[in-house]
Amino acid sequence: MRRAARARRFLQTPRGAGGLRRHPAGSDSEPGPGPSIRHADRDAFSTHERLGIGEDLLAFVFRGFFVHRFFHADLHPGNVFVAPGEKAAPIDWGMVGRTDRRTGMLLMLILLSLAQNDGHGLAKAWVELGHATPWAKLGAFASDMAVLVPQIADAPLEELNFGLTLTRVLTCSTKRGIRTSPTVAVLGKAFANVEGSVRCLAPGLSLIEVFKAEMQHVMLSLAAETVSKEKVARTALEVMLGIGSVTDQMSGLMRGRHSTPPAEG
């Protein structure tokens, strides 16, 4: 993750334990190149710099979610330090989150549904992310999302708090009888924190537009992972041992075939 931060054009990771620079004597010095982003003078930065820092912070979190599956969950305005002409410095790696491959792919599908203004698609992906109880009202939840999504799709950060919106979807799904992974609450907090930082410098940025720009890199990473030697070996072993998703699907098809009653003559 720290290497990923250093790879961004407008982002760096400070040296030292916990992301803090240190004096030779060992006492903490200035954590980054300047003040926290909360206290930064927006007018001192060029438009190119402001947008670049905002885009890199959002892209850093996106790649943490979908590529590395290990992300900084506490990038609030007090944990990002900036100065004109310098790279932004995220600090305090004490709060991090993890996702698994399936969760990351479903979250990506949710964001793609947002990007395409597809409330019903978001509702389907959200149900897959969790579990529909026997009393779940899936139709009502889909209708809720069809109303909510158009309000989110093209809104800049100055008009939208996506982290809180994610929490709103979570509350709505619970109300409709859909149980959701606890990971979603951590993701919502991470989004809310980084949005607060980006809003300090680049409130006009659209989170969804930055996601669209990052989508190609994320998809290439997922494709490379799918055809990796480890993935191919695991799939082959599961087939040979009679376990795993491929074998389960085949078994299900065979059970369905044998249980089909013969046609009456």
Side-chain angles (χ1 to χ4, degrees):
M1 283 295 290
R2 297 193 181 195
R3 285 194 298 271
R6 287 193 290 270
R8 310 304 305 184
R9 184 178 177 186
F10 292 93
L11 213 59
Q12 64 162 309
T13 302
R15 299 182 301 273
L20 293 175
R21 298 182 188 274
R22 294 185 178 272
H23 288 302
S27 59
D28 292 341
S29 64
E30 184 68 25
S36 70
I37 201 169
R38 177 187 288 120
H39 299 116
D41 179 7
R42 189 186 302 175
D43 296 332
F45 296 79
S46 68
T47 301
H48 178 65
E49 262 188 318
R50 291 191 298 102
L51 292 177
I53 290 172
E55 289 171 358
D56 272 7
L57 282 170
L58 290 173
F60 177 55
V61 173
F62 280 137
R63 293 197 185 188
F65 288 163
F66 306 123
V67 178
H68 308 291
R69 303 191 188 101
F70 177 78
F71 57 91
H72 194 313
D74 205 23
L75 285 175
H76 61 74
N79 276 343
V80 179
F81 289 76
V82 296
E86 301 282 348
K87 291 187 175 185
I91 67 165
D92 190 0
W93 295 77
M95 183 181 292
V96 296
R98 295 182 183 273
T99 60
D100 59 28
R101 189 171 190 268
R102 183 175 183 276
T103 299
M105 292 175 72
L106 285 169
L107 285 167
M108 189 171 180
L109 187 56
I110 286 170
L111 284 175
L112 279 171
S113 298
L114 279 175
Q116 296 175 340
N117 201 6
D118 182 3
H120 289 278
L122 184 150
K124 289 179 181 177
W126 191 275
V127 173
E128 285 295 319
L129 186 61
H131 169 69
T133 62
W135 58 88
K137 298 179 180 178
L138 301 183
F141 179 62
S143 297
D144 293 340
M145 295 303 99
V147 173
L148 178 63
V149 166
Q151 304 171 21
I152 303 171
D154 298 316
L157 286 176
E158 59 188 344
E159 300 173 9
L160 170 72
N161 189 320
F162 185 76
L164 291 180
T165 301
L166 197 62
T167 303
R168 181 177 168 187
V169 176
L170 176 59
T171 302
C172 185
S173 66
T174 302
K175 177 183 175 183
R176 299 300 188 185
I178 302 164
R179 294 175 181 167
T180 310
S181 167
T183 305
V184 174
V186 180
L187 293 174
K189 178 177 174 59
F191 268 125
N193 283 333
V194 73
E195 281 179 316
S197 294
V198 174
R199 198 175 286 116
C200 292
L201 279 188
L205 268 184
S206 167
L207 182 145
I208 298 301
E209 289 303 316
V210 175
F211 169 72
K212 289 178 182 178
E214 285 295 305
M215 187 172 62
Q216 181 179 0
H217 173 84
V218 173
M219 290 304 298
L220 287 173
S221 296
L222 288 173
E225 185 180 73
T226 300
V227 298
S228 68
K229 292 180 180 179
E230 293 84 358
K231 182 67 174 178
V232 172
R234 175 180 171 179
T235 302
L237 285 169
E238 286 179 345
V239 171
M240 286 186 281
L241 291 169
I243 61 176
S245 57
V246 175
T247 306
D248 289 345
Q249 290 173 11
M250 291 296 294
S251 299
L253 288 172
M254 293 302 295
R255 284 196 299 270
R257 183 177 177 181
H258 290 315
S259 62
T260 303
E264 295 182 359

